[in-house]
């Protein structure tokens, strides 16, 4: 199925679901808005924060003594800092996976103090965080599987009156295979050194991004924590209406409720930290050596390809939706750039080159992804010159 046909089916399903308004799914017990700031994951303290505002405990953190910081962050205090932000992009995540693997082969890939992932980036981020020893995992994920290995189509009635057009149980099984107890323990060990791994989902009720602290969750070390990590990764990659949303049980005022989460890209295509957070002050407190650097992997092209749009309702709507998503990508890149300039961080950006104009034959096309993986890998091996600003600023060096 071509991407244009997929978008048409997706749009059509959305219209039908909205207009029918019926469902055979169990009723929810949604969290009331009044409790949204106090709800927690039962048994796992500090699992997540809103991704669009500074965390509530930041003032307490800033009051920590130098000795406390040295003890708590031995791998990040008084050292160089490198941050990695991996964007959404569906099967185009193969580009970021290839670039990371090629970067390792080139011998110039740094250790990342902070790694963040959104959507397809959420599937890469834990393994990028753990370093080159896990390159074989991201290579396998993005060069070995096709659509039927990731999702199963639902029947017409289930698609129309359920919560998505597909069943994501194959992807859930893949996550259980790759994210096991050893991976959780390795993430926890790095978290205890002071390194950060965040994955972003969208809280659909609030229509806000949520940043999950995967290291803190991993440090709990229970089967519940392991399942939560897998569920967060699945939720972040769950394209609304195409993939089922993920339900999280939360607790507030001694009562249990649920939250509905979907693709992090619905609210933040790429994420570094909340714009309201003064990262420069944090870096000063940690006595960061030199100037921090952020590397943004944009799993997509910078601008949409030209397309002659048919003068008809659905093609016009679909192209408009495409344009809206493209604008969201630009907005995130510019927002992060402005924040880095304010906070004294070097900005580095990579994205799929315009010269790669191949088309996929299905939503997750193994051959397409393998070719795109090789494009990213080759760019890194040849010493890719990272863009030092988003296109349009005209100040690349």
């Amino acid at each position: 199925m071509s991407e244009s046909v997929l978008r048409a089916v997706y749009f059509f399903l959305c219209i039908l679901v909205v207009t029918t308004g019926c469902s055979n799914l169990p009723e929810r017990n949604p969290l009331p808005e009044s409790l949204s700031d106090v709800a927690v994951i039962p048994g796992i303290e500090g699992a997540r924060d809103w991704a669009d505002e500074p965390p509530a405990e930041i003032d307490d953190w800033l009051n920590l003594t130098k000795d406390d910081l040295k003890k708590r962050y031995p791998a990040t205090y008084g050292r160089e800092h490198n941050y990695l932000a991996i964007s959404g992009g569906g099967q185009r995540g193969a580009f970021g996976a290839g670039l990371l693997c090629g970067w390792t082969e080139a011998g110039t890939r740094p250790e990342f103090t902070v790694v963040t992932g959104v959507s397809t980036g959420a599937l890469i981020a834990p393994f990028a965080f753990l370093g080159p020893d896990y390159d074989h995992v991201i290579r396998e994920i993005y060069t070995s599987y096709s659509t039927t290995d990731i999702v199963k189509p639902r029947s017409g009635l289930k698609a129309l009156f359920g919560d998505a057009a597909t069943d994501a149980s194959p992807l859930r099984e893949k996550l259980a295979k790759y994210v096991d107890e050893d991976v959780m323990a390795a993430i926890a060990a790095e978290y205890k050194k002071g390194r950060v791994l965040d994955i972003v989902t969208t809280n659909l009720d609030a229509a806000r991004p949520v940043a999950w602290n995967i290291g803190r969750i991993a440090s709990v070390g229970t089967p519940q924590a392991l399942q939560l990590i897998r569920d967060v990764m699945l939720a972040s990659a769950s394209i609304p209406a195409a993939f089922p949303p993920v339900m999280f049980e939360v607790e507030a005022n001694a009562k249990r409720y649920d939250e509905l989460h979907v693709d992090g890209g619905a609210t933040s295509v790429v994420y570094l930290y909340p714009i309201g957070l003064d990262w420069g002050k944090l870096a000063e407190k940690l006595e960061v050596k030199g100037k921090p650097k952020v590397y943004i992997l944009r799993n997509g092209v910078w601008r949409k390809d030209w397309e002659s749009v048919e003068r008809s309702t659905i093609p016009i709507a679909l192209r408009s939706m495409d344009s809206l998503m493209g604008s969201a990508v630009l907005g995130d890149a510019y927002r992060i750039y402005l924040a880095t300039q304010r906070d004294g961080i070097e900005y580095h950006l990579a994205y799929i080159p315009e010269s790669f104009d191949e088309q996929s034959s299905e939503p997750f096309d193994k051959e397409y992804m393998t070719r795109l993986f090789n494009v990213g890998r080759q760019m890194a091996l040849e010493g890719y010159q990272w863009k030092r600003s988003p296109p349009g600023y005209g100040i690349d060096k």
Side-chain angles (χ1 to χ4, degrees), residues 108-342:
T108 55
R109 175 175 158 184
E111 179 180 83
F112 300 109
T113 313
V114 175
V115 177
T116 67
V118 179
S119 194
T120 195
L123 304 181
I124 301 172
F127 308 109
F129 178 76
L130 292 177
D133 287 346
Y134 289 82
D135 281 0
H136 69 284
V137 175
I138 57 175
R139 179 191 291 267
E140 183 172 316
I141 290 172
Y142 285 94
T143 62
S144 301
Y145 301 119
S146 299
T147 306
T148 54
D149 301 309
I150 304 300
V151 293
K152 295 189 295 186
R154 285 177 169 169
S155 67
L157 288 177
K158 284 186 177 180
L160 290 177
F161 303 122
D163 56 3
T166 67
D167 176 353
S169 56
L171 178 55
R172 187 180 288 276
E173 291 168 3
K174 296 291 186 298
L175 289 172
K177 170 186 175 181
Y178 292 114
V179 183
D180 58 15
E181 290 84 358
D182 290 341
V183 167
M184 179 171 69
I187 292 172
E190 295 305 312
Y191 170 73
K192 290 174 182 177
K193 297 176 186 177
R195 297 176 63 219
V196 175
L197 170 61
D198 278 352
I199 287 176
V200 175
T201 65
T202 293
N203 180 320
L204 205 53
D205 298 310
R208 293 178 65 184
V210 175
W212 297 78
N213 189 329
I214 303 301
R216 185 175 293 181
I217 296 169
S219 68
V220 175
T222 62
Q224 179 196 9
L226 178 59
Q227 189 57 52
L228 180 59
I229 293 170
R230 294 168 178 167
D231 287 345
V232 169
M233 294 174 67
L234 179 63
S236 185
S238 293
I239 303 167
F243 287 38
V246 176
M247 197 87 74
F248 292 95
E249 185 180 50
V250 297
E251 185 175 75
N253 293 348
K255 294 184 178 180
R256 296 292 176 98
Y257 302 95
D258 62 59
E259 293 178 353
L260 205 60
H261 287 243
V262 296
D263 193 334
T267 47
S268 183
V269 180
V270 62
Y271 170 81
L272 183 56
Y273 54 83
I275 193 71
L277 184 63
D278 187 343
W279 196 270
K281 186 181 292 186
L282 270 66
E284 181 179 355
K285 187 80 175 177
L286 287 171
E287 297 189 8
V288 173
K289 183 179 178 181
K291 196 171 185 178
K293 300 178 179 66
V294 61
Y295 297 90
I296 298 172
L297 294 183
R298 163 60 187 142
N299 290 306
V301 295
W302 187 250
R303 298 190 185 280
K304 296 290 183 182
D305 292 334
W306 180 276
E307 182 179 316
S308 297
V309 180
E310 180 184 347
R311 191 173 179 178
S312 182
T313 302
I314 290 181
I316 291 171
L318 289 173
R319 186 59 171 174
S320 298
M321 290 166 62
D322 268 352
S323 299
L324 182 61
M325 287 303 298
S327 295
V329 171
L330 296 177
D332 283 343
Y334 293 146
R335 174 177 50 80
I336 291 175
Y337 176 74
L338 293 174
T340 60
Q341 300 313 290
R342 178 197 66 191

Side-chain angles (χ1 to χ4, degrees), residues 40-48 216-217 220:
V40 298
I41 300 296
I44 303 180
E45 183 181 354
R48 77 275 173 85
R216 185 175 293 181
I217 296 169
V220 175

